[in-house]
């Protein structure tokens, strides 16, 4: 049996079948649209049993009634977990009668193959399989999902292997498989008549090692983005081992980027703690991390008024990444900026002189176009977009700040972004505000023909949970052949509950507008 869904709704349908873990973040408007699709789109269901379609529509109407009866101040606000579970209860009773959920996934050019697979899965004679037929994407469209399960997260990471299918068990475990392998595993499950009866054996079948035939697997490079460590505090000392242990499931790493505020205060006695941390990180990559300074690395408590409070000698003694760092093996080029070199209080900026030096170094090292096809990444501490930005996707809930944005801002941010667009930089990594964030914007290149460059700006929170904030880091994967990449925002509560994906963004190949 099957019905259609949209990929951003996948955490909702995964929760409907499993009911395990914390319900996903979803707004009133998103849930209402999902429920209305189930009620009114008569061509969106495939079933061997007529009662299934009627039961789903009836349950969706009841869920909609419950949703509209609840009181909400804003339709774009996230529903409380208890309210979401109560509204979806009629649908959950239907979904949880199945043991296995199958979600085909792909782009529009895969429609024929996916429709064929979805039809076969939906009409499988084995009881206990529910198939949700996907809404398809244009290859150039970015896709993002809040609070994805493991299967959805993996599918977005492996977008260059679409078409495929996500399999979700009733106990919440999930996995993504390319379409050929998905056909094979589905046939094995149907023959065994396992769905709903033996989840351990079903999971074993799904996780058998893929025997790849035909084209080789895509080569992806993996970058780890850390920020705002604030070493020298008790909190940082306690959290280091937990963070380093949590990185094990993301091995191997090709590069580590730290976007500033290594220290809470720029004091010489904290250097040994920094060197210990860097040596541990270096064990995962075999390379020194790409590191730019933040305001706390140069100013007492991160604040200065003109030169009062500045401690630049400490910054000079460290191995900062300057100008341009590029790697032919991973085909990445990092444009490294010191945004804390200027500005009062906690403000910062990138001067024209610094832009000129970085641009000169790039042109000098790219005389024979050696860096063509590299993923170009700008690394800076201060945020080039204000908090909040109109086109921002919130990764976590907002924090209350006693300091106004104008005392923390990046001056001349638009000039910096225009320079990045003109240099064909598609990704900007920053820190500073201790709040992870995602901003996707079409930025004018400053060229006379009115060209635009789509820039994705990724903010890391505080990787060691400074000030009691959630701990966070970002994992970026890059396929140099397809020029596609993804970013996975990993978040953990300060008590070490464990990191999970708060948001995954799968970006299309870069291009100019």
């Amino acid at each position: 049996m099957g019905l259609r869904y949209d990929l951003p709704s996948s955490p909702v349908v995964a929760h409907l079948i499993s009911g395990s873990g914390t319900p996903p973040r979803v707004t009133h408007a998103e849930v209402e649209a999902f429920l209305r699709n189930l009620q009114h789109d008569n061509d969106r269901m495939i079933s061997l049993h007529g009662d299934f379609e009627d039961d789903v529509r009836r349950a969706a109407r009841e869920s909609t009634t419950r949703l509209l009866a609840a009181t909400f101040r804003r339709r774009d606000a996230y529903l409380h977990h208890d309210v979401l579970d109560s509204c979806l209860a009629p649908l959950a009773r239907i979904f949880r009668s199945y043991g296995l959920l199958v979600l085909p996934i792909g782009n529009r050019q895969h429609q024929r193959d996916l429709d064929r697979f979805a039809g076969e899965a939906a009409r499988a004679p084995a009881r206990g399989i529910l198939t949700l037929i996907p809404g398809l994407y244009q290859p150039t469209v970015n896709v993002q999902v809040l609070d994805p399960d493991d299967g959805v997260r993996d599918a977005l990471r492996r977008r260059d292997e679409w078409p495929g299918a996500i399999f979700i068990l009733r106990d919440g475990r999930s996995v993504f498989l390319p379409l050929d392998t998905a056909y094979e595993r589905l046939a094995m499950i149907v023959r065994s008549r396992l769905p709903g009866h033996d989840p351990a054996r079903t999971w074993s079948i799904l996780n058998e090692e893929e025997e790849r035939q035909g084209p080789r697997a895509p080569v992806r490079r993996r970058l780890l983005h850390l920020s705002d460590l604030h070493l020298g505090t008790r909190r940082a000392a306690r959290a280091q081992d937990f963070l380093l242990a949590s990185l094990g499931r993301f091995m191997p790493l090709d590069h580590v980027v730290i976007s500033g505020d290594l220290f809470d205060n720029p004091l010489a006695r904290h250097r040994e703690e920094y060197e210990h941390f860097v040596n541990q990180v270096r064990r995962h990559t075999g390379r020194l991390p790409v590191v730019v300074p933040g305001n706390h690395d140069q100013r007492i408590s991160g604040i200065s008024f003109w030169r009062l409070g500045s401690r630049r000698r400490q910054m000079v003694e460290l191995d900062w990444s300057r100008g341009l760092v590029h790697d032919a093996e991973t085909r990445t080029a990092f444009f490294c900026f010191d945004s804390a070199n200027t500005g009062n209080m906690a403000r910062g900026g990138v001067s024209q002189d610094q832009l000129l030096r970085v641009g000169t170094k790039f042109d000098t090292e790219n005389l024979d176009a050696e860096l063509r096809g590299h993923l170009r990444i700008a690394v800076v501490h201060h945020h080039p977009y204000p908090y909040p930005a109109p086109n921002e996707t919130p990764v976590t809930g907002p924090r209350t700040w006693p300091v106004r944005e104008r005392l923390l801002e990046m001056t001349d941010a638009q000039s910096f972004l225009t320079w990045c667009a003109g240099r064909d930089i598609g990704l900007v990594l920053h820190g500073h505000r201790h709040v992870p964030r995602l901003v996707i914007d079409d930025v004018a290149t400053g060229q006379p023909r009115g060209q635009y460059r789509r820039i994705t700006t990724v903010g890391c929170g505080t990787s060691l949970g400074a000030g009691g904030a959630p701990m966070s880091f970002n994992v970026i994967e890059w396929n140099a052949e397809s020029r596609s990449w993804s970013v996975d925002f990993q978040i953990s509560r300060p008590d070490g509950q464990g990191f999970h994906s708060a948001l995954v963004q799968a970006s299309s190949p870069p291009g100019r507008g």
Side-chain angles (χ1 to χ4, degrees):
M1 276 157 256
L3 51 88
R4 290 193 180 272
Y5 78 105
D6 293 318
L7 189 58
S9 301
S10 58
V12 176
V13 296
H15 185 66
L16 281 172
I17 195 171
S18 69
S20 60
T22 303
R25 290 170 294 164
V26 62
T27 66
H28 178 289
E30 290 166 342
V31 174
E32 184 176 356
F34 172 71
L35 294 173
R36 294 200 183 282
N37 277 340
L38 298 186
Q39 294 176 60
H40 299 302
D41 289 348
N42 297 327
D43 63 339
R44 296 171 75 91
M45 299 191 190
I46 302 173
S47 176
L48 291 176
H49 308 287
D51 291 345
F52 171 74
E53 299 178 15
D54 293 337
D55 290 345
V56 168
R57 293 192 183 95
R58 189 180 304 112
R61 284 194 294 270
E62 184 178 348
S63 290
T64 302
T65 300
R66 294 188 181 194
L67 180 69
L68 298 178
T71 301
F72 304 103
R73 290 175 294 179
R74 292 174 48 189
R75 285 173 51 81
D76 61 348
Y78 295 132
L79 297 180
H80 189 275
H81 294 164
D82 292 339
V83 174
L84 179 62
D85 280 340
S86 174
C87 292
L88 295 181
L91 273 174
R93 285 193 290 270
I94 297 175
F95 276 61
R96 290 172 195 169
S97 66
Y98 295 89
L100 180 64
L101 181 63
V102 182
L103 311 179
I105 180 173
N107 295 322
R108 288 196 183 276
Q109 69 263 37
H110 306 135
Q111 180 165 358
R112 180 176 299 178
D113 292 336
L114 288 173
D115 282 349
R116 184 183 302 114
F117 174 80
E120 292 188 21
R123 297 184 175 93
R127 300 183 61 184
I129 299 177
L130 176 61
T131 304
L132 275 67
I133 306 169
L136 303 178
Y137 294 88
Q138 294 288 356
T140 57
V141 172
N142 296 335
V143 184
Q144 59 183 234
V145 178
L146 279 171
D147 300 328
D149 55 61
D150 289 343
V152 173
R153 179 179 66 86
D154 200 33
L156 293 176
R157 286 179 47 245
R158 299 168 65 181
R159 186 176 181 178
D160 47 14
E161 294 186 64
W162 289 7
I166 302 164
F167 293 80
I168 304 176
L169 271 66
R170 189 187 299 163
D171 61 12
R173 289 179 290 180
S174 61
V175 65
F176 166 78
L177 297 172
L179 195 59
D180 289 344
T181 306
Y183 265 114
E184 173 193 328
R185 302 301 158 81
L186 179 65
M188 294 171 64
I189 291 170
V190 169
R191 287 196 301 269
S192 64
R193 300 185 178 275
L194 289 173
H197 304 291
D198 191 347
R201 175 58 182 151
T202 301
W203 183 247
S204 176
I205 291 174
L206 291 172
N207 273 278
E208 289 183 11
E209 185 175 353
E210 295 178 37
E211 294 183 4
R212 182 168 297 276
Q213 298 178 354
R216 61 180 174 83
V219 177
R220 300 184 193 87
R221 300 299 184 175
R222 187 172 294 166
L223 318 177
L224 173 68
H225 178 203
L226 306 173
S227 195
D228 293 77
L229 306 176
H230 289 268
L231 298 171
T233 63
R234 292 181 179 178
R235 169 65 192 176
R238 291 195 300 266
Q240 283 185 55
D241 288 344
F242 172 71
L243 172 65
L244 292 168
S246 300
L247 299 179
R249 62 193 178 99
F250 296 98
M251 297 299 117
L253 294 170
D254 293 288
H255 286 284
V256 175
V257 175
I258 308 177
S259 55
D261 277 3
L262 276 64
F263 303 105
D264 196 54
N265 279 301
L267 303 176
R269 65 175 182 268
H270 299 322
R271 176 169 178 163
E272 184 176 342
E273 186 175 355
Y274 163 73
E275 290 177 343
H276 171 75
F277 182 83
V278 167
N279 287 335
Q280 294 298 310
V281 169
R282 192 174 182 180
R283 291 173 55 189
H284 294 306
T285 64
R287 297 181 174 95
L288 284 172
V290 176
V291 185
V292 299
N295 53 301
H296 277 262
D297 300 317
Q298 308 178 49
R299 310 171 190 175
I300 300 298
S301 298
I303 298 173
S304 69
F305 185 74
W306 298 106
R307 287 299 175 186
L308 183 63
S310 176
R311 292 287 296 273
R312 291 187 56 78
R313 178 181 300 176
Q314 172 74 11
M315 188 206 76
V316 172
E317 293 175 350
L318 295 179
D319 294 325
W320 304 102
S321 304
R322 302 177 189 276
L324 181 72
V325 177
H326 59 88
D327 182 358
E329 181 184 356
T330 62
R331 298 178 70 182
T332 47
F334 299 94
F335 295 72
C336 303
F337 299 95
D338 176 8
S339 62
N341 187 43
T342 61
N344 296 318
M345 303 302 290
R347 288 189 289 263
V350 178
S351 67
Q352 287 188 358
D353 285 346
Q354 191 174 170
L355 293 172
L356 180 62
R357 287 195 300 271
V358 175
T360 301
K361 188 169 184 180
F362 175 83
D363 289 341
T364 301
E365 300 192 21
N366 193 41
L367 287 175
D368 297 320
E370 294 95 337
L371 305 183
R372 180 180 297 170
H374 282 45
L375 175 63
R376 301 184 185 186
I377 305 171
V379 185
V380 66
H381 180 62
H382 287 78
H383 46 283
Y385 290 92
Y387 276 82
N391 47 352
E392 176 176 351
T393 298
V395 179
T396 60
R399 298 186 68 207
T400 301
W401 282 81
V403 181
R404 293 182 179 179
E405 169 68 21
R406 64 184 179 84
L407 300 179
L408 301 163
E409 66 185 358
M410 179 181 184
T411 58
D412 296 324
Q414 189 57 54
S415 296
F416 171 77
L417 290 169
T418 299
W419 188 93
C420 289
R423 284 290 180 176
D424 207 24
I425 292 171
L427 178 62
V428 176
L429 305 180
H430 73 82
H432 193 42
R433 280 298 296 260
H434 298 188
V435 179
R437 55 106 63 101
L438 172 68
V439 178
I440 301 175
D441 193 16
D442 292 325
V443 180
T445 64
Q447 302 300 319
R449 289 180 292 175
Q451 290 182 322
Y452 287 79
R453 176 65 159 90
R454 175 155 295 178
I455 295 180
T456 299
T457 299
V458 172
C460 184
T462 165
S463 298
L464 295 177
M471 303 171 67
S472 66
F473 61 85
N474 305 322
V475 179
I476 296 151
E477 296 200 21
W478 157 244
N479 182 334
E481 294 182 3
S482 67
R483 303 191 69 201
S484 60
W485 55 276
S486 66
V487 56
D488 180 2
F489 292 82
Q490 289 282 323
I491 307 293
S492 174
R493 289 188 345 192
D495 59 7
Q497 185 183 46
F499 283 95
H500 69 279
S501 291
L503 173 71
V504 176
Q505 159 86 14
S507 293
S508 59
R512 293 181 183 272

